[in-house]
Amino acid sequence: MLRELHGVMKGFGANQGLLVSWGGYTSAVIGEARRLFFDIRLWDADDLVDALMENYERLPEDMRTQLPLKRIWMLVPTEE
């Protein structure tokens, strides 16, 4: 997938790409991505969820309607 994305990027003249995998990446893909670091970034599920949570309030209303998230507050026990 990484090489395919890189090829499509070249075909369309894109400078940057983002490859998202919910299940993570093999060590071979990670190694290849290091070579393409300035062209392509890899995100896994945690990266995607973190970005969504960080930017949720900035999303358009219709997108937030399709991704209804509820924020909850809870107490976290502290160590004594």
Side-chain angles (χ1 to χ4, degrees), residues 7 15 18 26 32-34 42 48 50 55-56 64 72 75:
N15 296 322
L18 175 64
T26 64
E32 182 75 11
R34 284 189 183 117
L42 303 181
L48 182 62
D50 289 345
N55 295 287
Y56 186 77
R64 288 194 314 257
I72 61 168
L75 296 176

Side-chain angles (χ1 to χ4, degrees), residues 44-64:
D44 61 14
D46 290 337
D47 295 321
L48 182 62
V49 170
D50 289 345
L52 176 63
M53 296 303 293
E54 186 175 320
N55 295 287
Y56 186 77
E57 295 301 323
R58 291 183 230 158
L59 293 175
E61 179 77 29
D62 61 327
M63 287 186 80
R64 288 194 314 257

Side-chain angles (χ1 to χ4, degrees), residues 1-76:
M1 283 302 250
L2 182 66
R3 288 184 183 163
E4 291 174 17
L5 175 59
H6 194 241
V8 170
M9 288 171 55
K10 284 187 175 190
F12 281 91
N15 296 322
Q16 296 179 333
L18 175 64
L19 184 61
V20 180
S21 172
W22 200 254
Y25 300 96
T26 64
S27 58
V29 170
I30 292 170
E32 182 75 11
R34 284 189 183 117
R35 186 179 69 78
L36 300 170
F37 179 77
F38 293 105
D39 300 328
I40 298 176
R41 295 300 169 101
L42 303 181
W43 279 12
D44 61 14
D46 290 337
D47 295 321
L48 182 62
V49 170
D50 289 345
L52 176 63
M53 296 303 293
E54 186 175 320
N55 295 287
Y56 186 77
E57 295 301 323
R58 291 183 230 158
L59 293 175
E61 179 77 29
D62 61 327
M63 287 186 80
R64 288 194 314 257
T65 301
Q66 293 177 31
L67 294 167
L69 300 180
K70 291 187 179 187
R71 293 182 185 236
I72 61 168
W73 293 89
M74 58 191 322
L75 296 176
V76 176

